[in-house]
Amino acid sequence: MQVAAIDFNRFNVLADEEAQERIRAARAKLGKKAVLLCHHYQRSDVYQHADLTGDSLKLSRLAGQSDAEFIVFCGVHFMAEVADIMSKPDQISILPDLAAGCSMADMANLAKVERCWRELGEVLNPDEAVTPVTYINSAADLKAFCGEHGGIVCTSSNAPKILEWSFAQREKVLFFPDQHLGRWSGYKMGLPMESMVVWDPDLEMGGLTPEQIREAKILLWKGHCSVHQMFQPSHIQKFRAQYPDGIVISHPECAFEVCRQSDYVGSTEYILNTVKAGAPNTRWLVGTELNLVDRLAGEVKHEGKIVQFMAPTVCMCSTMQRIDPQHLAWTLENLAEGKVVNQIKVPAHEAVLAKIALDRMLAVS
């Protein structure tokens, strides 16, 4: 067993094809000791090596079902944390590039959420009146916060169900970090728009009055996805003018008006399944990450379906894009040589509480 990790600099200069060859060789050497999980937003030159693929909800389930010694997560940091929390104690979760984060997840941190909870306490008793709900796109310590305070985790697949559960526990919801998913999910439940107010963590009392807090049903954290905010209602309007029979499908991280003008709204898994199940020779405008849209377009082309990306500019998950063939080859060769690199290990006390919130989600889902 080697002591020092193989230096990444030797891999950073590899041509893509050589990196691909070394990935295949390392995987053959590792056999079933390693399993590769890939999110749908992952770049194609990495996605092709996946053993298991899915959206956040599906991958949360899969992470707890594998028997592999190493779970190599080709996604972003919070996903690898979930894999560590949900897997067995002797399994090791790995992120090929530690810089693969999530800008949305960074918009809410534990200090700001705890301050929010204290400030809410000046108006009401939050542990009696508010269910904290964190989108899975968040750090492990925020999932732990929800576990500790009677809350839960949600994904874009199950957010409406999670809100129903949350309101059955307490009268209000604090939803973080993505305001758009929370607003759309509340709207689909029939909540009035005025009952969903934005909590700005950079302002005292979230920028709200005590009366607004008391009257609100959902307190929406002021956060968003940098990719999905790029899609605009004007993109849909232009598409419909050109293709009146076209179909629009969007992710619920998009702004409210984009979702409202879409024919279908749902998670990445929902988008894939809906387009694939659609009638042949249909044209689709898709409002979600570029890698997924391009891959989907190729998969349904033989049915005469045309899949278009919603925005005129390139919108991809730039942090997930950091997981490239060079980082994956480096990670797998180190594992093949007996050296673990970039292990993601959630502190035990956080993992216990975070798992409570995640298990609640999986039970409701």
Side-chain angles (χ1 to χ4, degrees):
M1 178 120 7
Q2 85 174 39
V3 177
I6 304 170
D7 186 359
F8 175 68
N9 288 330
R10 291 163 51 184
F11 289 78
N12 201 28
V13 296
L14 289 181
D16 286 349
E17 186 49 47
E18 184 179 354
Q20 298 288 3
E21 291 175 5
R22 293 175 75 157
I23 289 169
R24 289 188 284 269
R27 296 213 65 199
K29 187 173 180 180
L30 284 164
K32 294 182 178 180
K33 290 179 67 176
V35 62
L36 266 64
L37 273 62
C38 277
H39 191 274
H40 288 310
Y41 294 167
Q42 187 57 254
R43 49 193 288 168
S44 295
D45 53 5
V46 170
Y47 192 88
Q48 65 179 312
H49 297 289
D51 296 307
L52 303 168
T53 63
D55 62 6
S56 295
L57 178 59
K58 184 176 178 181
L59 292 173
S60 296
R61 295 185 186 278
L62 292 173
Q65 296 171 3
S66 171
D67 292 323
E69 182 179 349
F70 305 113
I71 300 173
V72 181
F73 214 121
C74 297
V76 294
H77 196 273
F78 74 80
M79 297 177 187
E81 285 186 330
V82 171
D84 180 59
I85 293 165
M86 301 305 293
S87 59
K88 303 173 185 67
D90 58 342
Q91 291 180 296
I92 294 173
S93 178
I94 293 168
L95 184 67
D97 187 348
L98 295 179
C102 172
S103 60
M104 179 203 295
D106 293 340
M107 291 178 189
N109 60 48
L110 184 59
K112 289 184 176 182
V113 170
E114 287 180 334
R115 191 184 75 187
C116 168
W117 206 247
R118 289 194 302 271
E119 291 180 340
L120 288 174
E122 297 177 23
V123 179
L124 43 79
N125 184 339
D127 282 298
E128 292 181 359
V130 183
T131 303
V133 178
T134 188
Y135 191 19
I136 199 165
N137 298 39
S138 60
D141 56 5
L142 293 188
K143 296 179 178 74
F145 176 91
C146 290
E148 183 177 9
H149 291 276
I152 195 166
V153 179
C154 80
T155 71
S156 54
S157 295
N158 61 21
K161 283 185 180 179
I162 297 301
L163 283 185
E164 288 176 11
W165 178 92
S166 300
F167 284 123
Q169 314 309 307
R170 298 167 185 170
E171 62 180 289
K172 301 179 188 295
V173 163
L174 171 63
F175 191 99
F176 51 89
D178 181 37
Q179 61 172 304
H180 299 301
L181 175 62
R183 184 180 292 106
W184 181 251
S185 301
Y187 171 78
K188 294 298 288 184
M189 290 181 66
L191 292 179
M193 293 297 286
E194 60 269 20
S195 71
M196 298 181 282
V197 296
V198 176
W199 181 279
D200 187 337
D202 295 324
L203 298 177
E204 186 176 356
M205 298 296 291
L208 302 174
T209 65
E211 183 181 11
Q212 286 176 307
I213 292 170
R214 280 190 288 265
E215 293 182 356
K217 289 294 289 181
I218 304 181
L219 298 160
L220 300 165
W221 197 266
K222 190 179 180 183
H224 62 267
C225 170
S226 58
V227 172
H228 290 96
Q229 73 163 353
M230 301 294 290
F231 305 121
Q232 302 296 324
S234 59
H235 300 153
I236 297 175
Q237 293 155 12
K238 181 178 179 181
F239 175 78
R240 293 202 188 281
Q242 289 181 295
Y243 309 104
D245 295 328
I247 307 166
V248 181
I249 187 166
S250 300
H251 193 283
E253 289 177 18
C254 294
F256 177 76
E257 285 302 323
V258 171
C259 293
R260 195 165 69 164
Q261 293 187 32
S262 299
D263 299 299
Y264 299 96
V265 178
S267 68
T268 53
E269 200 77 18
Y270 174 86
I271 290 171
L272 290 171
N273 293 337
T274 301
V275 175
K276 288 178 180 179
N281 304 310
T282 46
R283 182 183 290 267
W284 297 78
L285 185 71
V286 183
T288 194
E289 202 270 348
L290 180 61
N291 283 306
L292 180 147
V293 177
D294 282 349
R295 190 178 303 119
L296 177 59
E299 290 175 359
V300 300
K301 186 177 180 180
H302 69 283
E303 299 178 59
K305 296 177 190 174
I306 298 174
V307 174
Q308 294 180 218
F309 185 61
M310 186 176 288
T313 54
V314 173
C315 303
M316 61 178 62
C317 184
S318 58
T319 49
M320 197 177 299
Q321 192 82 359
R322 295 186 68 97
I323 309 292
D324 56 20
Q326 289 75 13
H327 279 89
L328 183 56
W330 171 72
T331 300
L332 295 175
E333 283 199 17
N334 270 292
L335 290 179
E337 295 297 324
K339 180 64 179 179
V340 174
V341 292
N342 290 6
Q343 179 178 1
I344 302 299
K345 184 67 177 173
V346 177
H349 67 286
E350 285 182 9
V352 169
L353 292 170
K355 192 172 188 301
I356 291 171
L358 284 162
D359 283 343
R360 285 174 183 151
M361 175 189 77
L362 294 175
V364 173
S365 303

